[in-house]
Amino acid sequence: LGGRREPRKYDPTFKGPIYNRGCTDIVCCILFIICILGYVAVGILAWSQGDPRKVIYPTDSRGQFCGQAGTPLDATSTISIGHCIFFYRNATVVIEARQVVMKIFEDYTQSWYWILIGLVIAMLISLLFIVLLRFLAGIMVWVMIVMVILVIGYGIFHCSMEYVSLKSEAGSNVTLKDLGFQTDFSVYLHIRQTWLAFIIILAIVEVVIILLLIFLRNRILIAIALIKEASRAIGYVMSALFYPLFTFALLSIVIAYWAVTAVFLSTSNQPIYKVFNETACDHSRKICEPAVSPNFSTSSMKAECPDSKCLFAFYGGETVYHKYLIGLQFYNVFLFFWCANFVTALGQMTLAGAFASYYWAFVKPDDMPAFPIFSSLGRSLRYHTGSLAFGSLILSIIQIIRVLLEYIDHKLQGTQNKCTKFLLCCLKCCFWCLEKFIKFINRNAYIMVAIYGKNFCTSAKDAFFLLMRNMIRVAVLDKVTDFLLFLGKLLIVGLVGNLLRFTVDNQLVKAFENTAPNLHYYWVPILVSMVVGSYLIAHGFFSVYAMCVDTLFLCFLEDLERNDGSAERPFLMSDRLLKVLNKKNKPEPAE
């Protein structure tokens, strides 16, 4: 582990993020561009070969789509029983799944305005929290803590009431194991064991949060000061609050491209037909021509075995494209991870550069760039695309290994012994921990790259040793603050979810009695707006706060090493942080 292990020396010329910098990790930048071009080529090839209808609609024994207009088996076709008999490939499962999907789609069409209202409420609450944190950080932190405890407490109370109310209902004591999987998810809400599980889960969460708050009560006061400083920084860089929209748009493109390419790749196989015999023949199960072709009926196989049939067997192919199809799927997954991690890394480095320019500005905001976000984004893309690609590549390799381990575990289900299970479990646990560690290192490395403009490896080593020299402060300030911000996200999700549930159940006010939609699954709008929508919106706003806290944290650690509080080397941190760290700037000596 090479790198700078000693504290950074005082540099009178350092005034914040360095503008005179060069390109870093150029080789990885070139590799990333080449892989992106290859990714585009894979997408074009898949789109020209695939047929997504194979995923949606069942096929018959000849590989023909069932019930589709314009096909030999449209809705008006008759099915005969005998020698050209049809059998459906997983037809029952496909039909049932399609019915569930259609019901969910109908729920979306019926409740889209409630979902939109929930998302708007989540955005307004998040913005309100950000504004209040700017002026009332200390009070808001304690309000968040109390509100989270109360919201979870109400959840326990509500689940307990439901559990008691089902005591007298017939069939409510059926266990979830005996019930099995049901497409009508509302059935589970009539089982007492479901509400008991909710009570246990919420109670565990409540106890864990309360215990953490008890043991960290003194540290919370320190974290509040850091949140106040982050609020002040965001006040000077308000455009940072809207940057997650840009990240979300890029991630949406990456996810959509991966999903579409994956579907077309998985449906680009050709139908393979084989000979099926009722009597034993030497050429049984050999590949044959399709049954719709007259070739098989006049072939030597048919003459030797009159009972033989040429039927659809599976989807495959013998071309070079089909032989390497699994490799193309692997490439699609790997590039998805790489591109998604790159977009996330770009957002982290951009925000880090903007907030670092705030911290190191001697006179705020006069010494800050006119547009901190745009300046930082431009530096990141112009000089450090290679560093972003390098860090994202390392993380993607670990993630793809985790995917392979899960794939191997799935394939070996039922055939592996205890030793193999234990080994796979250990490997999955180790790579999970390694992924978390690499994410932590990458995040801090991007901050150092944004400030000093060095390559990824140098920046990662500098950040690592800087944090190791301040391990106690890392645990006290950084992680406690992350925990408080997580409570804020939980509170927003809980408030929006409960509000929407009351509205859908016509329990909010009488004015909504005739407006709540009739849904197949009431959990659809609740799940979308609460878990997906509200959490993503809250996470987007609070992730800016978290990045601001991490950047300011590294900056004032550097500040402590560079400066000593004298008139010649004054600390650049705010008075709040000086008070937290029991530091102060000495006044200039009188003449």
Side-chain angles (χ1 to χ4, degrees):
L1 291 175
R4 184 179 57 80
R5 301 170 186 247
E6 299 298 325
R8 196 180 295 275
K9 303 299 182 182
Y10 174 69
D11 181 6
T13 63
F14 181 73
K15 302 297 182 183
I18 296 173
Y19 290 90
N20 186 18
R21 58 179 70 193
C23 296
T24 57
D25 300 300
I26 300 176
V27 175
C28 198
C29 177
I30 296 174
L31 177 63
F32 183 64
I33 295 174
I34 293 174
C35 290
I36 290 295
L37 294 177
Y39 197 21
V40 174
V42 169
I44 295 174
L45 183 62
W47 298 338
S48 64
Q49 299 289 330
D51 189 351
R53 292 182 300 172
K54 297 175 184 177
V55 177
I56 305 174
Y57 305 111
T59 58
D60 69 349
S61 60
R62 300 169 183 172
Q64 301 175 111
F65 295 107
C66 301
Q68 295 303 297
T71 64
L73 301 176
D74 58 17
T76 60
S77 299
T78 58
I79 301 177
S80 62
I81 301 177
H83 180 69
C84 294
I85 188 172
F86 300 112
F87 63 92
Y88 290 93
R89 182 174 57 93
N90 298 327
T92 303
V93 176
V94 172
I95 292 173
E96 288 182 356
R98 188 181 179 189
Q99 289 175 347
V100 173
V101 172
M102 290 302 297
K103 289 181 179 179
I104 293 176
F105 180 76
E106 291 176 5
D107 288 346
Y108 279 128
T109 59
Q110 294 290 327
S111 62
W112 65 268
Y113 50 93
W114 292 111
I115 296 175
L116 183 61
I117 291 173
L119 297 180
V120 171
I121 292 175
M123 184 180 66
L124 294 177
I125 294 176
S126 299
L127 280 174
L128 179 62
F129 267 68
I130 298 298
V131 173
L132 292 178
L133 281 173
R134 174 70 176 87
F135 302 101
L136 303 170
I139 297 176
M140 287 301 300
V141 168
W142 290 112
V143 169
M144 281 193 297
I145 293 173
V146 173
M147 289 293 290
V148 166
I149 294 176
L150 292 177
V151 168
I152 297 178
Y154 170 77
I156 296 174
F157 171 76
H158 176 76
C159 293
S160 301
M161 295 299 294
E162 293 288 345
Y163 178 77
V164 173
S165 65
L166 290 174
K167 184 177 181 179
S168 59
E169 291 191 12
S172 61
N173 290 321
V174 177
T175 63
L176 294 175
K177 183 178 179 181
D178 295 334
L179 185 64
F181 177 76
Q182 301 290 329
T183 56
D184 186 2
F185 295 99
S186 62
V187 173
Y188 296 105
L189 299 180
H190 298 281
I191 305 300
R192 297 188 73 200
Q193 198 176 77
T194 302
W195 295 104
L196 179 61
F198 289 158
I199 293 172
I200 295 174
I201 294 172
L202 291 176
I204 293 175
V205 173
E206 184 88 318
V207 171
V208 169
I209 291 177
I210 292 175
L211 289 178
L212 286 174
L213 292 174
I214 291 174
F215 286 106
L216 299 176
R217 60 187 183 276
N218 294 327
R219 304 294 187 257
I220 292 175
L221 298 176
I222 301 175
I224 288 174
L226 194 59
I227 291 178
K228 288 181 179 179
E229 187 64 17
S231 300
R232 187 182 177 201
I234 292 177
Y236 284 108
V237 192
M238 287 298 294
S239 56
L241 292 175
F242 302 97
Y243 186 85
L245 296 176
F246 177 68
T247 301
F248 178 76
L250 292 180
L251 283 177
S252 299
I253 294 173
V254 171
I255 294 173
Y257 186 88
W258 162 77
V260 172
T261 303
V263 169
F264 275 87
L265 282 174
S266 63
T267 58
S268 57
N269 287 315
Q270 297 174 347
I272 300 298
Y273 298 85
K274 286 189 174 182
V275 176
F276 292 86
N277 301 315
E278 296 180 3
T279 59
C281 290
D282 294 336
H283 54 259
S284 177
R285 303 300 174 93
K286 288 185 178 179
I287 295 178
C288 61
E289 293 293 328
V292 294
S293 172
N295 296 336
F296 180 73
S297 59
T298 58
S299 65
S300 58
M301 293 184 186
K302 184 68 174 178
E304 295 176 10
C305 288
D307 294 333
S308 62
K309 305 179 184 68
C310 183
L311 301 176
F312 169 78
F314 57 87
Y315 283 102
E318 300 297 328
T319 66
V320 175
Y321 170 77
H322 293 102
K323 288 181 179 179
Y324 293 98
L325 195 57
I326 186 66
L328 296 179
Q329 283 281 27
F330 178 83
Y331 186 80
N332 181 38
V333 174
F334 181 73
L335 262 293
F336 164 72
F337 282 129
W338 198 358
C339 293
N341 290 327
F342 179 87
V343 171
T344 303
L346 177 62
Q348 292 174 345
M349 186 179 291
T350 299
L351 293 173
F355 293 127
S357 65
Y358 158 82
Y359 184 94
W360 295 108
F362 192 77
V363 179
K364 302 176 178 61
D366 296 341
D367 294 341
M368 294 174 58
F371 302 100
I373 289 292
F374 290 104
S375 299
S376 182
L377 177 61
R379 287 197 304 270
S380 300
L381 290 174
R382 180 179 178 184
Y383 298 108
H384 306 303
T385 298
S387 297
L388 293 170
F390 192 6
S392 304
L393 176 62
I394 297 174
L395 183 58
S396 301
I397 292 174
I398 296 172
Q399 290 172 335
I400 203 68
I401 292 175
R402 290 191 62 198
V403 171
L404 290 175
L405 289 175
E406 293 292 342
Y407 177 78
I408 294 173
D409 190 23
H410 176 72
K411 285 296 184 181
L412 295 179
Q413 284 291 343
T415 61
Q416 50 188 323
N417 54 36
K418 293 183 179 180
C419 182
T420 306
K421 288 182 179 180
F422 177 76
L423 180 60
L424 279 174
C425 184
C426 291
L427 286 174
K428 290 193 290 185
C429 180
C430 290
F431 277 97
W432 180 85
C433 295
L434 182 59
E435 181 183 352
K436 296 299 180 182
F437 175 75
I438 293 299
K439 283 183 176 180
F440 176 76
I441 291 297
N442 282 7
R443 185 181 180 92
N444 291 282
Y446 297 143
I447 295 174
M448 301 300 277
V449 172
I451 297 174
Y452 298 104
K454 297 181 180 180
N455 61 49
F456 177 82
C457 291
T458 301
S459 300
K461 288 185 290 186
D462 287 347
F464 177 77
F465 288 117
L466 177 63
L467 294 173
M468 290 301 101
R469 292 193 297 270
N470 299 270
M471 291 182 63
I472 297 178
R473 290 193 177 109
V474 172
V476 170
L477 297 178
D478 194 41
K479 297 310 170 187
V480 174
T481 306
D482 288 344
F483 174 67
L484 293 177
L485 295 179
F486 175 71
L487 291 184
K489 289 186 280 189
L490 278 185
L491 178 59
I492 293 174
V493 171
L495 289 175
V496 175
N498 280 296
L499 180 62
L500 187 68
R501 188 186 67 81
F502 282 133
T503 304
V504 171
D505 289 343
N506 283 335
Q507 296 178 9
L508 188 61
V509 287
K510 292 183 178 180
F512 292 103
E513 284 186 355
N514 298 321
T515 59
N518 294 320
L519 306 177
H520 296 96
Y521 308 113
Y522 278 95
W523 57 267
V524 172
I526 295 176
L527 179 67
V528 171
S529 61
M530 183 180 71
V531 178
V532 181
S534 300
Y535 184 82
L536 287 178
I537 291 175
H539 178 73
F541 283 104
F542 282 98
S543 65
V544 175
Y545 247 91
M547 198 66 209
C548 182
V549 168
D550 290 344
T551 303
L552 297 181
F553 180 58
L554 281 184
C555 285
F556 81 69
L557 291 182
E558 290 274 306
D559 193 3
L560 289 173
E561 293 187 350
R562 285 179 175 276
N563 306 306
D564 57 8
S566 63
E568 295 80 16
R569 296 164 56 186
F571 293 117
L572 295 182
M573 67 185 71
S574 67
D575 294 337
R576 294 190 187 94
L577 291 179
L578 285 172
K579 184 177 180 180
V580 167
L581 300 173
N582 294 321
K583 302 285 186 179
K584 62 179 180 179
N585 284 321
K586 299 177 182 178
E588 295 185 5
E591 297 182 358

